[in-house]
PDB file of all heavy atoms in Angstrom:
ATOM      1  N   TYR A   1     -22.366 -26.462  -2.031  1.00 94.00           N
ATOM      2  CA  TYR A   1     -22.181 -27.331  -3.205  1.00 94.00           C
ATOM      3  C   TYR A   1     -20.861 -28.062  -3.047  1.00 94.00           C
ATOM      4  O   TYR A   1     -19.803 -27.444  -2.852  1.00 94.00           O
ATOM      5  CB  TYR A   1     -22.184 -26.509  -4.493  1.00 94.00           C
ATOM      6  CG  TYR A   1     -21.849 -27.323  -5.725  1.00 94.00           C
ATOM      7  CD1 TYR A   1     -22.780 -28.194  -6.276  1.00 94.00           C
ATOM      8  CD2 TYR A   1     -20.593 -27.224  -6.326  1.00 94.00           C
ATOM      9  CE1 TYR A   1     -22.477 -28.940  -7.398  1.00 94.00           C
ATOM     10  CE2 TYR A   1     -20.275 -27.967  -7.446  1.00 94.00           C
ATOM     11  CZ  TYR A   1     -21.224 -28.835  -7.968  1.00 94.00           C
ATOM     12  OH  TYR A   1     -20.922 -29.594  -9.077  1.00 94.00           O
ATOM     13  N   SER A   2     -20.908 -29.386  -3.129  1.00 91.00           N
ATOM     14  CA  SER A   2     -19.713 -30.219  -3.025  1.00 91.00           C
ATOM     15  C   SER A   2     -19.234 -30.597  -4.419  1.00 91.00           C
ATOM     16  O   SER A   2     -20.035 -31.052  -5.259  1.00 91.00           O
ATOM     17  CB  SER A   2     -20.001 -31.487  -2.210  1.00 91.00           C
ATOM     18  OG  SER A   2     -20.378 -31.155  -0.893  1.00 91.00           O
ATOM     19  N   LEU A   3     -17.958 -30.402  -4.655  1.00 88.00           N
ATOM     20  CA  LEU A   3     -17.412 -30.710  -5.970  1.00 88.00           C
ATOM     21  C   LEU A   3     -17.481 -32.212  -6.247  1.00 88.00           C
ATOM     22  O   LEU A   3     -17.227 -33.029  -5.359  1.00 88.00           O
ATOM     23  CB  LEU A   3     -15.954 -30.246  -6.068  1.00 88.00           C
ATOM     24  CG  LEU A   3     -15.727 -28.803  -6.563  1.00 88.00           C
ATOM     25  CD1 LEU A   3     -16.335 -27.806  -5.604  1.00 88.00           C
ATOM     26  CD2 LEU A   3     -14.225 -28.546  -6.760  1.00 88.00           C
ATOM     27  N   PRO A   4     -17.823 -32.593  -7.483  1.00 88.00           N
ATOM     28  CA  PRO A   4     -17.880 -34.028  -7.828  1.00 88.00           C
ATOM     29  C   PRO A   4     -16.491 -34.648  -7.855  1.00 88.00           C
ATOM     30  O   PRO A   4     -15.465 -33.954  -7.865  1.00 88.00           O
ATOM     31  CB  PRO A   4     -18.526 -34.014  -9.215  1.00 88.00           C
ATOM     32  CG  PRO A   4     -18.221 -32.661  -9.766  1.00 88.00           C
ATOM     33  CD  PRO A   4     -18.219 -31.729  -8.595  1.00 88.00           C
ATOM     34  N   VAL A   5     -16.455 -35.962  -7.900  1.00 85.00           N
ATOM     35  CA  VAL A   5     -15.195 -36.703  -7.809  1.00 85.00           C
ATOM     36  C   VAL A   5     -14.242 -36.360  -8.947  1.00 85.00           C
ATOM     37  O   VAL A   5     -13.017 -36.238  -8.739  1.00 85.00           O
ATOM     38  CB  VAL A   5     -15.486 -38.223  -7.783  1.00 85.00           C
ATOM     39  CG1 VAL A   5     -14.163 -39.008  -7.809  1.00 85.00           C
ATOM     40  CG2 VAL A   5     -16.309 -38.596  -6.578  1.00 85.00           C
ATOM     41  N   ASN A   6     -14.749 -36.203 -10.176  1.00 85.00           N
ATOM     42  CA  ASN A   6     -13.851 -35.931 -11.307  1.00 85.00           C
ATOM     43  C   ASN A   6     -13.120 -34.602 -11.152  1.00 85.00           C
ATOM     44  O   ASN A   6     -11.938 -34.478 -11.509  1.00 85.00           O
ATOM     45  CB  ASN A   6     -14.627 -35.971 -12.625  1.00 85.00           C
ATOM     46  CG  ASN A   6     -15.771 -34.959 -12.648  1.00 85.00           C
ATOM     47  OD1 ASN A   6     -16.267 -34.549 -11.597  1.00 85.00           O
ATOM     48  ND2 ASN A   6     -16.179 -34.575 -13.845  1.00 85.00           N
ATOM     49  N   LEU A   7     -13.804 -33.588 -10.560  1.00 85.00           N
ATOM     50  CA  LEU A   7     -13.116 -32.315 -10.321  1.00 85.00           C
ATOM     51  C   LEU A   7     -12.143 -32.415  -9.155  1.00 85.00           C
ATOM     52  O   LEU A   7     -11.077 -31.787  -9.167  1.00 85.00           O
ATOM     53  CB  LEU A   7     -14.143 -31.213 -10.048  1.00 85.00           C
ATOM     54  CG  LEU A   7     -14.987 -30.772 -11.248  1.00 85.00           C
ATOM     55  CD1 LEU A   7     -15.979 -29.690 -10.821  1.00 85.00           C
ATOM     56  CD2 LEU A   7     -14.100 -30.256 -12.376  1.00 85.00           C
ATOM     57  N   LEU A   8     -12.487 -33.221  -8.152  1.00 82.00           N
ATOM     58  CA  LEU A   8     -11.578 -33.417  -7.026  1.00 82.00           C
ATOM     59  C   LEU A   8     -10.279 -34.058  -7.474  1.00 82.00           C
ATOM     60  O   LEU A   8      -9.186 -33.704  -6.996  1.00 82.00           O
ATOM     61  CB  LEU A   8     -12.250 -34.282  -5.952  1.00 82.00           C
ATOM     62  CG  LEU A   8     -13.428 -33.664  -5.199  1.00 82.00           C
ATOM     63  CD1 LEU A   8     -14.053 -34.685  -4.250  1.00 82.00           C
ATOM     64  CD2 LEU A   8     -12.979 -32.426  -4.406  1.00 82.00           C
ATOM     65  N   ASN A   9     -10.383 -35.001  -8.398  1.00 84.00           N
ATOM     66  CA  ASN A   9      -9.178 -35.673  -8.897  1.00 84.00           C
ATOM     67  C   ASN A   9      -8.274 -34.696  -9.647  1.00 84.00           C
ATOM     68  O   ASN A   9      -7.041 -34.788  -9.578  1.00 84.00           O
ATOM     69  CB  ASN A   9      -9.557 -36.834  -9.803  1.00 84.00           C
ATOM     70  CG  ASN A   9     -10.236 -37.951  -9.015  1.00 84.00           C
ATOM     71  OD1 ASN A   9     -10.000 -38.112  -7.814  1.00 84.00           O
ATOM     72  ND2 ASN A   9     -11.084 -38.723  -9.685  1.00 84.00           N
ATOM     73  N   LYS A  10      -8.897 -33.733 -10.353  1.00 82.00           N
ATOM     74  CA  LYS A  10      -8.094 -32.782 -11.115  1.00 82.00           C
ATOM     75  C   LYS A  10      -7.318 -31.834 -10.210  1.00 82.00           C
ATOM     76  O   LYS A  10      -6.205 -31.414 -10.552  1.00 82.00           O
ATOM     77  CB  LYS A  10      -8.994 -31.978 -12.061  1.00 82.00           C
ATOM     78  CG  LYS A  10      -9.555 -32.803 -13.206  1.00 82.00           C
ATOM     79  CD  LYS A  10     -10.425 -31.933 -14.113  1.00 82.00           C
ATOM     80  CE  LYS A  10     -10.971 -32.763 -15.277  1.00 82.00           C
ATOM     81  NZ  LYS A  10     -11.820 -31.940 -16.182  1.00 82.00           N
ATOM     82  N   ILE A  11      -7.899 -31.490  -9.067  1.00 82.00           N
ATOM     83  CA  ILE A  11      -7.211 -30.554  -8.149  1.00 82.00           C
ATOM     84  C   ILE A  11      -6.506 -31.308  -7.025  1.00 82.00           C
ATOM     85  O   ILE A  11      -5.994 -30.696  -6.086  1.00 82.00           O
ATOM     86  CB  ILE A  11      -8.193 -29.527  -7.564  1.00 82.00           C
ATOM     87  CG1 ILE A  11      -9.283 -30.235  -6.731  1.00 82.00           C
ATOM     88  CG2 ILE A  11      -8.823 -28.689  -8.663  1.00 82.00           C
ATOM     89  CD1 ILE A  11     -10.215 -29.284  -6.028  1.00 82.00           C
ATOM     90  N   HIS A  12      -6.529 -32.660  -7.103  1.00 80.00           N
ATOM     91  CA  HIS A  12      -5.848 -33.511  -6.127  1.00 80.00           C
ATOM     92  C   HIS A  12      -6.325 -33.228  -4.699  1.00 80.00           C
ATOM     93  O   HIS A  12      -5.536 -33.013  -3.773  1.00 80.00           O
ATOM     94  CB  HIS A  12      -4.320 -33.328  -6.214  1.00 80.00           C
ATOM     95  CG  HIS A  12      -3.771 -33.551  -7.569  1.00 80.00           C
ATOM     96  ND1 HIS A  12      -3.662 -34.811  -8.144  1.00 80.00           N
ATOM     97  CD2 HIS A  12      -3.306 -32.653  -8.508  1.00 80.00           C
ATOM     98  CE1 HIS A  12      -3.143 -34.708  -9.352  1.00 80.00           C
ATOM     99  NE2 HIS A  12      -2.926 -33.417  -9.611  1.00 80.00           N
ATOM    100  N   ALA A  13      -7.638 -33.208  -4.539  1.00 85.00           N
ATOM    101  CA  ALA A  13      -8.246 -32.954  -3.228  1.00 85.00           C
ATOM    102  C   ALA A  13      -9.172 -34.109  -2.858  1.00 85.00           C
ATOM    103  O   ALA A  13      -9.741 -34.796  -3.720  1.00 85.00           O
ATOM    104  CB  ALA A  13      -9.037 -31.647  -3.234  1.00 85.00           C
ATOM    105  N   LYS A  14      -9.279 -34.375  -1.572  1.00 86.00           N
ATOM    106  CA  LYS A  14     -10.177 -35.416  -1.094  1.00 86.00           C
ATOM    107  C   LYS A  14     -11.619 -34.921  -0.973  1.00 86.00           C
ATOM    108  O   LYS A  14     -12.566 -35.659  -1.189  1.00 86.00           O
ATOM    109  CB  LYS A  14      -9.708 -35.926   0.263  1.00 86.00           C
ATOM    110  CG  LYS A  14      -8.346 -36.616   0.237  1.00 86.00           C
ATOM    111  CD  LYS A  14      -7.961 -37.100   1.627  1.00 86.00           C
ATOM    112  CE  LYS A  14      -6.615 -37.808   1.618  1.00 86.00           C
ATOM    113  NZ  LYS A  14      -6.219 -38.246   2.988  1.00 86.00           N
ATOM    114  N   LYS A  15     -11.746 -33.636  -0.629  1.00 88.00           N
ATOM    115  CA  LYS A  15     -13.081 -33.068  -0.452  1.00 88.00           C
ATOM    116  C   LYS A  15     -13.002 -31.559  -0.637  1.00 88.00           C
ATOM    117  O   LYS A  15     -12.060 -30.915  -0.184  1.00 88.00           O
ATOM    118  CB  LYS A  15     -13.631 -33.392   0.944  1.00 88.00           C
ATOM    119  CG  LYS A  15     -15.054 -32.964   1.163  1.00 88.00           C
ATOM    120  CD  LYS A  15     -15.538 -33.388   2.560  1.00 88.00           C
ATOM    121  CE  LYS A  15     -16.984 -32.964   2.778  1.00 88.00           C
ATOM    122  NZ  LYS A  15     -17.469 -33.350   4.131  1.00 88.00           N
ATOM    123  N   ALA A  16     -13.992 -30.995  -1.309  1.00 88.00           N
ATOM    124  CA  ALA A  16     -14.040 -29.549  -1.503  1.00 88.00           C
ATOM    125  C   ALA A  16     -15.492 -29.115  -1.652  1.00 88.00           C
ATOM    126  O   ALA A  16     -16.293 -29.803  -2.296  1.00 88.00           O
ATOM    127  CB  ALA A  16     -13.229 -29.131  -2.722  1.00 88.00           C
ATOM    128  N   SER A  17     -15.827 -27.987  -1.041  1.00 90.00           N
ATOM    129  CA  SER A  17     -17.198 -27.477  -1.128  1.00 90.00           C
ATOM    130  C   SER A  17     -17.196 -25.961  -1.028  1.00 90.00           C
ATOM    131  O   SER A  17     -16.292 -25.353  -0.445  1.00 90.00           O
ATOM    132  CB  SER A  17     -18.072 -28.076  -0.025  1.00 90.00           C
ATOM    133  OG  SER A  17     -17.595 -27.705   1.259  1.00 90.00           O
ATOM    134  N   ILE A  18     -18.238 -25.375  -1.575  1.00 94.00           N
ATOM    135  CA  ILE A  18     -18.468 -23.936  -1.519  1.00 94.00           C
ATOM    136  C   ILE A  18     -19.773 -23.718  -0.760  1.00 94.00           C
ATOM    137  O   ILE A  18     -20.765 -24.418  -1.012  1.00 94.00           O
ATOM    138  CB  ILE A  18     -18.552 -23.327  -2.928  1.00 94.00           C
ATOM    139  CG1 ILE A  18     -17.287 -23.650  -3.728  1.00 94.00           C
ATOM    140  CG2 ILE A  18     -18.779 -21.819  -2.867  1.00 94.00           C
ATOM    141  CD1 ILE A  18     -17.401 -23.259  -5.188  1.00 94.00           C
ATOM    142  N   PHE A  19     -19.780 -22.759   0.171  1.00 95.00           N
ATOM    143  CA  PHE A  19     -20.993 -22.582   0.977  1.00 95.00           C
ATOM    144  C   PHE A  19     -21.308 -21.105   1.176  1.00 95.00           C
ATOM    145  O   PHE A  19     -20.432 -20.232   1.124  1.00 95.00           O
ATOM    146  CB  PHE A  19     -20.836 -23.269   2.339  1.00 95.00           C
ATOM    147  CG  PHE A  19     -19.842 -22.613   3.255  1.00 95.00           C
ATOM    148  CD1 PHE A  19     -20.216 -21.585   4.116  1.00 95.00           C
ATOM    149  CD2 PHE A  19     -18.509 -23.015   3.253  1.00 95.00           C
ATOM    150  CE1 PHE A  19     -19.292 -20.985   4.957  1.00 95.00           C
ATOM    151  CE2 PHE A  19     -17.578 -22.413   4.094  1.00 95.00           C
ATOM    152  CZ  PHE A  19     -17.973 -21.395   4.946  1.00 95.00           C
ATOM    153  N   LEU A  20     -22.572 -20.847   1.396  1.00 96.00           N
ATOM    154  CA  LEU A  20     -23.082 -19.523   1.754  1.00 96.00           C
ATOM    155  C   LEU A  20     -23.984 -19.708   2.961  1.00 96.00           C
ATOM    156  O   LEU A  20     -24.921 -20.514   2.929  1.00 96.00           O
ATOM    157  CB  LEU A  20     -23.860 -18.902   0.601  1.00 96.00           C
ATOM    158  CG  LEU A  20     -24.512 -17.540   0.882  1.00 96.00           C
ATOM    159  CD1 LEU A  20     -23.441 -16.490   1.136  1.00 96.00           C
ATOM    160  CD2 LEU A  20     -25.420 -17.123  -0.262  1.00 96.00           C
ATOM    161  N   GLN A  21     -23.693 -18.981   4.034  1.00 96.00           N
ATOM    162  CA  GLN A  21     -24.443 -19.151   5.274  1.00 96.00           C
ATOM    163  C   GLN A  21     -24.950 -17.802   5.776  1.00 96.00           C
ATOM    164  O   GLN A  21     -24.224 -16.807   5.774  1.00 96.00           O
ATOM    165  CB  GLN A  21     -23.564 -19.786   6.356  1.00 96.00           C
ATOM    166  CG  GLN A  21     -24.304 -20.063   7.668  1.00 96.00           C
ATOM    167  CD  GLN A  21     -23.371 -20.613   8.733  1.00 96.00           C
ATOM    168  OE1 GLN A  21     -22.451 -19.934   9.159  1.00 96.00           O
ATOM    169  NE2 GLN A  21     -23.606 -21.849   9.153  1.00 96.00           N
ATOM    170  N   GLY A  22     -26.209 -17.782   6.209  1.00 96.00           N
ATOM    171  CA  GLY A  22     -26.812 -16.576   6.772  1.00 96.00           C
ATOM    172  C   GLY A  22     -27.368 -16.838   8.152  1.00 96.00           C
ATOM    173  O   GLY A  22     -27.801 -17.952   8.462  1.00 96.00           O
ATOM    174  N   GLN A  23     -27.358 -15.809   9.001  1.00 96.00           N
ATOM    175  CA  GLN A  23     -27.890 -15.910  10.361  1.00 96.00           C
ATOM    176  C   GLN A  23     -28.819 -14.728  10.644  1.00 96.00           C
ATOM    177  O   GLN A  23     -28.573 -13.612  10.191  1.00 96.00           O
ATOM    178  CB  GLN A  23     -26.758 -15.930  11.392  1.00 96.00           C
ATOM    179  CG  GLN A  23     -25.858 -17.144  11.314  1.00 96.00           C
ATOM    180  CD  GLN A  23     -24.803 -17.124  12.408  1.00 96.00           C
ATOM    181  OE1 GLN A  23     -24.937 -16.436  13.414  1.00 96.00           O
ATOM    182  NE2 GLN A  23     -23.740 -17.898  12.219  1.00 96.00           N
ATOM    183  N   ASN A  24     -29.895 -15.013  11.382  1.00 94.00           N
ATOM    184  CA  ASN A  24     -30.868 -13.985  11.773  1.00 94.00           C
ATOM    185  C   ASN A  24     -31.353 -13.205  10.555  1.00 94.00           C
ATOM    186  O   ASN A  24     -31.276 -11.980  10.492  1.00 94.00           O
ATOM    187  CB  ASN A  24     -30.258 -13.018  12.797  1.00 94.00           C
ATOM    188  CG  ASN A  24     -29.781 -13.730  14.047  1.00 94.00           C
ATOM    189  OD1 ASN A  24     -30.478 -14.569  14.600  1.00 94.00           O
ATOM    190  ND2 ASN A  24     -28.577 -13.414  14.481  1.00 94.00           N
ATOM    191  N   LEU A  25     -31.894 -13.948   9.583  1.00 94.00           N
ATOM    192  CA  LEU A  25     -32.215 -13.334   8.294  1.00 94.00           C
ATOM    193  C   LEU A  25     -33.509 -12.521   8.342  1.00 94.00           C
ATOM    194  O   LEU A  25     -33.571 -11.425   7.793  1.00 94.00           O
ATOM    195  CB  LEU A  25     -32.288 -14.409   7.217  1.00 94.00           C
ATOM    196  CG  LEU A  25     -30.984 -15.173   7.012  1.00 94.00           C
ATOM    197  CD1 LEU A  25     -31.102 -16.150   5.870  1.00 94.00           C
ATOM    198  CD2 LEU A  25     -29.831 -14.204   6.761  1.00 94.00           C
ATOM    199  N   PHE A  26     -34.559 -13.049   8.960  1.00 90.00           N
ATOM    200  CA  PHE A  26     -35.756 -12.228   9.143  1.00 90.00           C
ATOM    201  C   PHE A  26     -36.589 -12.798  10.284  1.00 90.00           C
ATOM    202  O   PHE A  26     -36.447 -13.949  10.672  1.00 90.00           O
ATOM    203  CB  PHE A  26     -36.581 -12.107   7.849  1.00 90.00           C
ATOM    204  CG  PHE A  26     -37.242 -13.386   7.416  1.00 90.00           C
ATOM    205  CD1 PHE A  26     -38.505 -13.739   7.912  1.00 90.00           C
ATOM    206  CD2 PHE A  26     -36.647 -14.234   6.504  1.00 90.00           C
ATOM    207  CE1 PHE A  26     -39.128 -14.914   7.514  1.00 90.00           C
ATOM    208  CE2 PHE A  26     -37.257 -15.405   6.103  1.00 90.00           C
ATOM    209  CZ  PHE A  26     -38.500 -15.746   6.607  1.00 90.00           C
ATOM    210  N   THR A  27     -37.463 -11.942  10.801  1.00 91.00           N
ATOM    211  CA  THR A  27     -38.274 -12.285  11.972  1.00 91.00           C
ATOM    212  C   THR A  27     -39.724 -11.899  11.731  1.00 91.00           C
ATOM    213  O   THR A  27     -40.016 -10.819  11.205  1.00 91.00           O
ATOM    214  CB  THR A  27     -37.764 -11.557  13.227  1.00 91.00           C
ATOM    215  OG1 THR A  27     -36.390 -11.901  13.445  1.00 91.00           O
ATOM    216  CG2 THR A  27     -38.583 -11.927  14.458  1.00 91.00           C
ATOM    217  N   ILE A  28     -40.625 -12.785  12.118  1.00 91.00           N
ATOM    218  CA  ILE A  28     -42.064 -12.501  12.114  1.00 91.00           C
ATOM    219  C   ILE A  28     -42.517 -12.467  13.564  1.00 91.00           C
ATOM    220  O   ILE A  28     -42.267 -13.413  14.318  1.00 91.00           O
ATOM    221  CB  ILE A  28     -42.845 -13.584  11.335  1.00 91.00           C
ATOM    222  CG1 ILE A  28     -42.367 -13.642   9.880  1.00 91.00           C
ATOM    223  CG2 ILE A  28     -44.345 -13.311  11.385  1.00 91.00           C
ATOM    224  CD1 ILE A  28     -42.977 -14.796   9.093  1.00 91.00           C
ATOM    225  N   THR A  29     -43.174 -11.370  13.979  1.00 88.00           N
ATOM    226  CA  THR A  29     -43.585 -11.236  15.371  1.00 88.00           C
ATOM    227  C   THR A  29     -44.916 -10.506  15.458  1.00 88.00           C
ATOM    228  O   THR A  29     -45.325  -9.824  14.510  1.00 88.00           O
ATOM    229  CB  THR A  29     -42.514 -10.480  16.186  1.00 88.00           C
ATOM    230  OG1 THR A  29     -42.956 -10.311  17.530  1.00 88.00           O
ATOM    231  CG2 THR A  29     -42.242  -9.101  15.590  1.00 88.00           C
ATOM    232  N   ASN A  30     -45.578 -10.650  16.598  1.00 83.00           N
ATOM    233  CA  ASN A  30     -46.847  -9.960  16.830  1.00 83.00           C
ATOM    234  C   ASN A  30     -46.633  -8.601  17.477  1.00 83.00           C
ATOM    235  O   ASN A  30     -47.592  -7.924  17.834  1.00 83.00           O
ATOM    236  CB  ASN A  30     -47.759 -10.816  17.721  1.00 83.00           C
ATOM    237  CG  ASN A  30     -47.185 -11.022  19.117  1.00 83.00           C
ATOM    238  OD1 ASN A  30     -45.977 -10.948  19.316  1.00 83.00           O
ATOM    239  ND2 ASN A  30     -48.037 -11.281  20.088  1.00 83.00           N
ATOM    240  N   ASN A  31     -45.379  -8.180  17.647  1.00 74.00           N
ATOM    241  CA  ASN A  31     -45.078  -6.911  18.311  1.00 74.00           C
ATOM    242  C   ASN A  31     -44.093  -6.092  17.478  1.00 74.00           C
ATOM    243  O   ASN A  31     -42.958  -5.855  17.884  1.00 74.00           O
ATOM    244  CB  ASN A  31     -44.515  -7.148  19.717  1.00 74.00           C
ATOM    245  CG  ASN A  31     -45.606  -7.461  20.718  1.00 74.00           C
ATOM    246  OD1 ASN A  31     -46.329  -6.582  21.176  1.00 74.00           O
ATOM    247  ND2 ASN A  31     -45.733  -8.736  21.055  1.00 74.00           N
ATOM    248  N   TYR A  32     -44.547  -5.647  16.310  1.00 63.00           N
ATOM    249  CA  TYR A  32     -43.673  -4.853  15.452  1.00 63.00           C
ATOM    250  C   TYR A  32     -43.414  -3.461  16.010  1.00 63.00           C
ATOM    251  O   TYR A  32     -42.488  -2.789  15.596  1.00 63.00           O
ATOM    252  CB  TYR A  32     -44.282  -4.728  14.050  1.00 63.00           C
ATOM    253  CG  TYR A  32     -44.139  -5.990  13.236  1.00 63.00           C
ATOM    254  CD1 TYR A  32     -45.217  -6.827  13.032  1.00 63.00           C
ATOM    255  CD2 TYR A  32     -42.907  -6.341  12.688  1.00 63.00           C
ATOM    256  CE1 TYR A  32     -45.088  -7.984  12.292  1.00 63.00           C
ATOM    257  CE2 TYR A  32     -42.769  -7.503  11.949  1.00 63.00           C
ATOM    258  CZ  TYR A  32     -43.860  -8.319  11.746  1.00 63.00           C
ATOM    259  OH  TYR A  32     -43.718  -9.473  11.021  1.00 63.00           O
ATOM    260  N   ASP A  33     -44.258  -3.011  16.976  1.00 61.00           N
ATOM    261  CA  ASP A  33     -44.059  -1.676  17.530  1.00 61.00           C
ATOM    262  C   ASP A  33     -43.078  -1.674  18.699  1.00 61.00           C
ATOM    263  O   ASP A  33     -42.800  -0.638  19.289  1.00 61.00           O
ATOM    264  CB  ASP A  33     -45.390  -1.073  17.987  1.00 61.00           C
ATOM    265  CG  ASP A  33     -46.076  -1.929  19.049  1.00 61.00           C
ATOM    266  OD1 ASP A  33     -45.766  -3.128  19.117  1.00 61.00           O
ATOM    267  OD2 ASP A  33     -46.920  -1.393  19.791  1.00 61.00           O
ATOM    268  N   MET A  34     -42.546  -2.853  19.051  1.00 63.00           N
ATOM    269  CA  MET A  34     -41.609  -2.915  20.175  1.00 63.00           C
ATOM    270  C   MET A  34     -40.262  -2.352  19.781  1.00 63.00           C
ATOM    271  O   MET A  34     -39.779  -2.544  18.668  1.00 63.00           O
ATOM    272  CB  MET A  34     -41.440  -4.363  20.655  1.00 63.00           C
ATOM    273  CG  MET A  34     -42.613  -4.910  21.438  1.00 63.00           C
ATOM    274  SD  MET A  34     -42.268  -6.560  22.060  1.00 63.00           S
ATOM    275  CE  MET A  34     -40.877  -6.255  23.118  1.00 63.00           C
ATOM    276  N   VAL A  35     -39.636  -1.648  20.718  1.00 64.00           N
ATOM    277  CA  VAL A  35     -38.300  -1.112  20.484  1.00 64.00           C
ATOM    278  C   VAL A  35     -37.234  -2.154  20.804  1.00 64.00           C
ATOM    279  O   VAL A  35     -36.068  -1.983  20.485  1.00 64.00           O
ATOM    280  CB  VAL A  35     -38.094   0.158  21.327  1.00 64.00           C
ATOM    281  CG1 VAL A  35     -38.005  -0.171  22.802  1.00 64.00           C
ATOM    282  CG2 VAL A  35     -36.862   0.928  20.877  1.00 64.00           C
ATOM    283  N   LEU A  36     -37.622  -3.265  21.426  1.00 74.00           N
ATOM    284  CA  LEU A  36     -36.670  -4.289  21.854  1.00 74.00           C
ATOM    285  C   LEU A  36     -36.711  -5.495  20.928  1.00 74.00           C
ATOM    286  O   LEU A  36     -37.723  -5.789  20.296  1.00 74.00           O
ATOM    287  CB  LEU A  36     -36.983  -4.730  23.286  1.00 74.00           C
ATOM    288  CG  LEU A  36     -37.024  -3.637  24.347  1.00 74.00           C
ATOM    289  CD1 LEU A  36     -37.381  -4.230  25.699  1.00 74.00           C
ATOM    290  CD2 LEU A  36     -35.693  -2.916  24.431  1.00 74.00           C
ATOM    291  N   ASP A  37     -35.598  -6.211  20.869  1.00 82.00           N
ATOM    292  CA  ASP A  37     -35.537  -7.446  20.115  1.00 82.00           C
ATOM    293  C   ASP A  37     -36.402  -8.494  20.819  1.00 82.00           C
ATOM    294  O   ASP A  37     -36.277  -8.689  22.034  1.00 82.00           O
ATOM    295  CB  ASP A  37     -34.093  -7.935  20.031  1.00 82.00           C
ATOM    296  CG  ASP A  37     -33.966  -9.240  19.282  1.00 82.00           C
ATOM    297  OD1 ASP A  37     -33.988  -9.199  18.050  1.00 82.00           O
ATOM    298  OD2 ASP A  37     -33.874 -10.292  19.940  1.00 82.00           O
ATOM    299  N   PRO A  38     -37.307  -9.195  20.113  1.00 84.00           N
ATOM    300  CA  PRO A  38     -38.223 -10.125  20.781  1.00 84.00           C
ATOM    301  C   PRO A  38     -37.551 -11.333  21.405  1.00 84.00           C
ATOM    302  O   PRO A  38     -38.134 -11.978  22.282  1.00 84.00           O
ATOM    303  CB  PRO A  38     -39.178 -10.547  19.646  1.00 84.00           C
ATOM    304  CG  PRO A  38     -38.406 -10.329  18.394  1.00 84.00           C
ATOM    305  CD  PRO A  38     -37.543  -9.138  18.658  1.00 84.00           C
ATOM    306  N   GLU A  39     -36.330 -11.645  20.982  1.00 84.00           N
ATOM    307  CA  GLU A  39     -35.630 -12.806  21.544  1.00 84.00           C
ATOM    308  C   GLU A  39     -34.851 -12.441  22.800  1.00 84.00           C
ATOM    309  O   GLU A  39     -34.953 -13.123  23.826  1.00 84.00           O
ATOM    310  CB  GLU A  39     -34.687 -13.401  20.509  1.00 84.00           C
ATOM    311  CG  GLU A  39     -33.907 -14.603  21.017  1.00 84.00           C
ATOM    312  CD  GLU A  39     -32.937 -15.152  19.993  1.00 84.00           C
ATOM    313  OE1 GLU A  39     -32.914 -14.640  18.848  1.00 84.00           O
ATOM    314  OE2 GLU A  39     -32.197 -16.096  20.326  1.00 84.00           O
ATOM    315  N   THR A  40     -34.087 -11.369  22.749  1.00 80.00           N
ATOM    316  CA  THR A  40     -33.218 -11.007  23.861  1.00 80.00           C
ATOM    317  C   THR A  40     -33.794  -9.910  24.741  1.00 80.00           C
ATOM    318  O   THR A  40     -33.280  -9.665  25.828  1.00 80.00           O
ATOM    319  CB  THR A  40     -31.854 -10.531  23.333  1.00 80.00           C
ATOM    320  OG1 THR A  40     -32.048  -9.341  22.557  1.00 80.00           O
ATOM    321  CG2 THR A  40     -31.212 -11.602  22.469  1.00 80.00           C
ATOM    322  N   MET A  41     -34.856  -9.228  24.279  1.00 77.00           N
ATOM    323  CA  MET A  41     -35.423  -8.067  24.973  1.00 77.00           C
ATOM    324  C   MET A  41     -34.343  -7.019  25.205  1.00 77.00           C
ATOM    325  O   MET A  41     -34.311  -6.340  26.218  1.00 77.00           O
ATOM    326  CB  MET A  41     -36.084  -8.485  26.289  1.00 77.00           C
ATOM    327  CG  MET A  41     -37.332  -9.319  26.092  1.00 77.00           C
ATOM    328  SD  MET A  41     -38.571  -8.541  25.047  1.00 77.00           S
ATOM    329  CE  MET A  41     -39.092  -7.183  26.074  1.00 77.00           C
ATOM    330  N   ASN A  42     -33.460  -6.890  24.219  1.00 76.00           N
ATOM    331  CA  ASN A  42     -32.393  -5.895  24.252  1.00 76.00           C
ATOM    332  C   ASN A  42     -32.675  -4.858  23.182  1.00 76.00           C
ATOM    333  O   ASN A  42     -33.263  -5.160  22.141  1.00 76.00           O
ATOM    334  CB  ASN A  42     -31.040  -6.575  24.002  1.00 76.00           C
ATOM    335  CG  ASN A  42     -29.870  -5.680  24.337  1.00 76.00           C
ATOM    336  OD1 ASN A  42     -29.703  -4.599  23.777  1.00 76.00           O
ATOM    337  ND2 ASN A  42     -29.043  -6.132  25.258  1.00 76.00           N
ATOM    338  N   SER A  43     -32.265  -3.619  23.426  1.00 73.00           N
ATOM    339  CA  SER A  43     -32.521  -2.564  22.457  1.00 73.00           C
ATOM    340  C   SER A  43     -31.690  -2.734  21.186  1.00 73.00           C
ATOM    341  O   SER A  43     -32.019  -2.154  20.152  1.00 73.00           O
ATOM    342  CB  SER A  43     -32.246  -1.190  23.076  1.00 73.00           C
ATOM    343  OG  SER A  43     -30.910  -1.108  23.535  1.00 73.00           O
TER     344      SER A  43
END
């Protein structure tokens, strides 16, 4: 979410944003019984 211009002026900022980022959140595969990761083939 990027702060609108009126809030930026109040805090004297050119740009401000809040973010939430996730990685490797879930996987769908045809081999749920595998002991290895389907991408890296690592345990």
Side-chain angles (χ1 to χ4, degrees):
Y1 174 75
S2 298
L3 271 63
V5 175
N6 58 336
L7 290 179
L8 292 175
N9 292 333
K10 290 181 179 180
I11 62 175
H12 305 287
K14 296 180 179 178
K15 186 177 180 181
S17 62
I18 304 171
F19 69 88
L20 177 65
Q21 183 184 64
Q23 295 183 20
N24 302 314
L25 299 184
F26 68 87
T27 302
I28 300 173
T29 178
N30 64 335
N31 281 283
Y32 284 104
D33 59 338
M34 286 184 62
V35 70
L36 304 179
D37 179 79
E39 179 182 356
T40 63
M41 292 305 292
N42 193 300
S43 58

